[in-house]
Amino acid sequence: DWKLALLQRLSVTEILNPGLLLEYHEALLFIRVYPDDRDVFNIARKECADFGRRVLLLKKEDPDAADVLNEEAIPETSVSYQYDHTTVAELVKWYGDALEIQWEEFEDTGKLDALLPLLASWAESDGLDLAPISTEEWVNLARGNGGQTGLQWLLAGLEKLRVPYLVKRQLYDTLELPVAWQLGNSTACRTHARVTSGKPYVHEGPLLRKIENFNEEVKRPLERISLASPQSARQLIKTIRCALAVRHRGLYPVEYASPAEVIVARCNRGYQLVLFGMKPEYRLPMESDYAALIIKNGYVIGYGVGAILFDQCEIAINIFDTWRGGEAAYIFSQYLRVFHQHFGCTRFRMERYQVGYENDEGLQSGSFWFYRKLGFISENPKVRALCDKEMKKIKRTPGYRTSIDTLKKLAVSDMYYTMKGNPERDGDAFPLTGLSLNTTRLIGERFGGDRKKALAESATALSATLNCRGREQWPAMERLWFERLAPMISLIPGLEKWSAADKQDLVALIRAKGRPQESEFVRLLSGNRKLRRALEKIAGD
């Protein structure tokens, strides 16, 4: 086999050109995920495991050339980024002094200078104000010889402040602190970013480029879906955090992922999709946000997010560059399949950025047509008309390609996919903004802008209306969410006239928002048509 012979030859060949070494690295990762046979898979796996040695050899021979590989997130290189507090605190917990403030890139230290007095003792004030030393020099002096890096000292000082966590997070994030991360040969490297998996799926035939019946594939029952064990859940959270961090990316559901709700779905062809629910205190009021990790043959190959409201899921998905020549349509079908099977979503919405709006990469790759061929349509009727016109040109003109200017026009609208009803008359997205603004208006007009009073009095009144006995005995997160949602729910006119059964359903739904797994809330909300009609009316008033 020519591919096996070539890999065997390359395995004993030194590569001292950084560009060629990176190309070889990407080829190995692709082969690891889409192997032709077990022999090819095994040699690619061995080469990946030993890749750090190649980088160290290049550093020894030509250090300046090796610097080109920084930010590529491969072994024995570094990445630099302004990580948010939640992320950097976890990374430092896992990787310790491998992360440090990148002082040479930190030009404006004014905000840190203003924060330091909160971390110093009173007797150090004059040194902070008057000493002729830099911020870096003062931090190095302050951290002493206890073995901490400047970053570790700063995070520890923030942790000791007697203020709520959200204040600490905000204080750190406003610093815009550049952090350098020496990856070494850790599992955070792209090369080693994998999870335990079974027997690898070998592609004896060609890759699956097209889906014959996309809708039927989404409906097909999953092979297996289950909650990860606590230990596995924590490891998977670490995996997605690192996979995003080394690529300078982040997702809100990942920042506050809950080990109590990590859902693992096993699909065909060696794929797994992992969904991450959020810790109850950080969830959104009505929507339910889930992050997703896309895994193939144990390797992390992409990520996404799904925001669920009633039966609709707003989705975004990103396959990492290395694997975009793989089975994109099939991966996307499995993505929708998991949200449909587990949560009952039947309508999927995609923001226009995903199809090319202010996104050159999306325009160049023809993202609009990729999603249109799968059944997604534009929400804007004018864009749908332009799409129909372009489709006629494509059919009657061999080799015709839609121009970039036209693709820009096609990308001005969000797109959606519906599994039931008429796709062009499936209704608009739920008016979430109107619901939120009317809640703000209520608090301003009825409670004079006093939010603490609004939450407490609304919860008391709603508890009486819904006959909530023993609310003070509920778990803390359930009590918290009853209070949080009370002002919004109190906007419903005639709520006191609802039947006892409808009131019980509403109480169960509110309590589910504070449960360890938010999946229960998603299903209860999707099935509560009475509540949806009531909230839509409030949002539209």
Side-chain angles (χ1 to χ4, degrees):
D1 180 84
W2 68 269
K3 189 178 291 186
L4 179 60
L6 180 58
L7 284 171
Q8 288 172 335
R9 184 176 176 183
L10 285 169
S11 69
V12 294
T13 302
E14 292 182 1
I15 303 175
L16 299 178
N17 179 292
L20 291 177
L21 186 59
L22 185 59
E23 286 187 31
Y24 182 48
H25 176 270
E26 301 310 295
L28 288 172
L29 291 190
F30 191 89
I31 292 168
R32 274 285 282 105
V33 168
Y34 294 107
D36 301 289
D37 57 47
R38 287 300 296 268
D39 290 336
V40 167
F41 174 85
N42 286 332
I43 194 169
R45 177 175 60 181
K46 183 179 178 181
E47 281 290 275
C48 286
D50 194 41
F51 207 83
R53 178 189 59 81
R54 289 182 175 274
V55 178
L56 289 175
L57 178 62
L58 177 60
K59 282 186 172 183
K60 181 180 179 181
E61 295 291 328
D62 192 344
D64 291 337
D67 285 344
V68 175
L69 297 176
N70 286 331
E71 306 305 329
E72 295 293 347
I74 64 178
E76 307 301 341
T77 65
S78 66
V79 294
S80 305
Y81 193 59
Q82 294 178 3
Y83 296 109
D84 63 82
H85 178 265
T86 308
T87 298
V88 81
E90 290 293 288
L91 294 178
V92 167
K93 182 175 70 176
W94 294 325
Y95 299 103
D97 59 8
L99 292 97
E100 175 58 302
I101 299 169
Q102 194 176 22
W103 291 105
E104 65 272 18
E105 297 296 326
F106 193 21
E107 297 178 357
D108 183 5
T109 63
K111 293 177 181 177
L112 178 56
D113 294 335
L115 173 65
L116 289 177
L118 298 179
L119 311 182
S121 66
W122 195 255
E124 297 173 274
S125 301
D126 290 339
L128 276 170
D129 292 338
L130 305 174
I133 60 175
S134 68
T135 305
E136 178 185 1
E137 289 171 326
W138 191 92
V139 169
N140 287 334
L141 184 65
R143 67 186 176 89
N145 57 4
Q148 287 184 313
T149 64
L151 180 60
Q152 289 173 317
W153 176 85
L154 176 62
L155 291 172
L158 280 172
E159 183 62 28
K160 294 173 184 176
L161 291 180
R162 296 181 179 180
V163 295
Y165 166 73
L166 292 179
V167 175
K168 299 174 187 177
R169 185 186 74 178
Q170 186 66 23
L171 285 171
Y172 179 89
D173 290 349
T174 57
L175 299 178
E176 299 179 335
L177 195 68
V179 171
W181 181 6
Q182 303 298 326
L183 295 174
N185 203 37
S186 71
T187 55
C189 303
R190 292 194 296 120
T191 324
H192 306 318
R194 56 186 309 277
V195 300
T196 302
S197 62
K199 183 179 178 181
Y201 181 87
V202 174
H203 293 260
E204 297 176 349
L207 298 184
L208 188 59
R209 305 290 189 183
K210 296 181 180 180
I211 304 296
E212 293 300 325
N213 191 320
F214 187 77
N215 203 54
E216 288 304 312
E217 181 62 30
V218 174
K219 289 180 178 179
R220 189 164 59 86
L222 287 161
E223 284 67 33
R224 182 184 174 190
I225 186 165
S226 59
L227 281 175
S229 67
Q231 181 179 356
S232 178
R234 286 191 291 270
Q235 184 59 44
L236 287 165
I237 291 172
K238 179 179 179 180
T239 299
I240 191 171
R241 272 194 178 279
C242 292
L244 296 180
V246 297
R247 292 173 171 87
H248 301 171
R249 303 177 191 185
L251 289 174
Y252 181 69
V254 174
E255 288 183 36
Y256 302 107
S258 170
E261 191 177 19
V262 176
I263 304 158
V264 181
R266 300 188 183 277
C267 308
N268 298 87
R269 305 179 69 82
Y271 289 99
Q272 292 181 64
L273 265 75
V274 183
L275 302 183
F276 299 85
M278 294 179 63
K279 296 175 181 177
E281 60 267 40
Y282 298 109
R283 292 170 184 166
L284 301 179
M286 294 301 295
E287 285 185 312
S288 298
D289 257 14
Y290 285 83
L293 191 64
I294 304 166
I295 298 167
K296 163 79 168 179
N297 278 342
Y299 253 87
V300 176
I301 66 169
Y303 70 99
V305 66
I308 308 169
L309 182 62
F310 296 104
D311 62 343
Q312 176 177 284
C313 182
E314 185 173 309
I315 55 173
I317 183 172
N318 187 297
I319 305 300
F320 296 136
D321 292 352
T322 307
W323 298 284
R324 286 187 183 168
E327 300 180 320
Y330 182 76
I331 293 171
F332 195 66
S333 72
Q334 302 311 294
Y335 195 74
L336 269 62
R337 184 183 175 203
V338 171
F339 279 96
H340 172 63
Q341 299 286 337
H342 189 67
F343 297 109
C345 301
T346 58
R347 188 177 192 269
F348 297 90
R349 186 168 176 265
M350 183 177 299
E351 286 191 348
R352 55 189 180 174
Y353 177 83
Q354 287 275 300
V355 297
Y357 182 76
E358 297 183 347
N359 177 357
D360 289 339
E361 184 180 337
L363 292 173
Q364 295 295 335
S365 64
S367 293
F368 175 86
W369 289 119
F370 173 81
Y371 294 114
R372 181 65 188 88
K373 289 174 182 176
L374 296 179
F376 279 74
I377 68 170
S378 300
E379 291 186 336
N380 188 321
K382 292 182 179 179
V383 175
R384 292 202 295 268
L386 177 60
C387 175
D388 292 342
K389 184 178 178 181
E390 277 295 296
M391 291 179 72
K392 290 177 182 178
K393 289 181 181 179
I394 292 170
K395 287 181 180 179
R396 69 171 180 256
T397 311
Y400 176 83
R401 291 182 63 84
T402 303
S403 69
I404 293 295
D405 285 343
T406 301
L407 285 172
K408 287 181 179 179
K409 295 176 182 177
L410 291 170
V412 300
S413 169
D414 294 342
M415 300 184 78
Y416 67 91
Y417 174 84
T418 182
M419 300 178 66
K420 62 181 182 180
N422 186 330
E424 295 190 7
R425 298 180 180 178
D426 196 40
D428 297 325
F430 183 86
L432 199 58
T433 302
L435 186 61
S436 179
L437 289 176
N438 280 331
T439 302
T440 301
R441 185 174 293 111
L442 167 75
I443 295 173
E445 294 178 353
R446 188 178 301 176
F447 300 96
D450 186 335
R451 276 148 182 81
K452 185 176 181 180
K453 180 180 179 182
L455 291 174
E457 293 189 7
S458 295
T460 299
L462 183 63
S463 183
T465 300
L466 299 180
N467 301 316
C468 295
R469 297 174 182 173
R471 181 166 63 92
E472 63 279 358
Q473 302 301 319
W474 293 357
M477 285 296 109
E478 294 180 24
R479 297 198 308 271
L480 174 69
W481 273 104
F482 189 90
E483 189 173 85
R484 282 181 173 179
L485 292 176
M488 180 185 295
I489 300 298
S490 69
L491 288 168
I492 299 175
L495 184 61
E496 70 281 355
K497 297 179 182 178
W498 281 25
S499 69
D502 287 337
K503 289 180 180 180
Q504 288 176 1
D505 289 344
L506 181 55
V507 172
L509 184 149
I510 296 172
R511 295 186 68 176
K513 192 69 173 180
R515 297 265 165 81
Q517 289 91 42
E518 198 175 0
S519 301
E520 182 182 352
F521 172 83
V522 173
R523 298 189 188 99
L524 290 175
L525 184 64
S526 178
N528 199 320
R529 295 183 179 181
K530 186 180 184 70
L531 178 62
R532 177 168 186 167
R533 288 194 298 268
L535 294 179
E536 283 179 331
K537 186 176 186 305
I538 294 168
D541 288 345

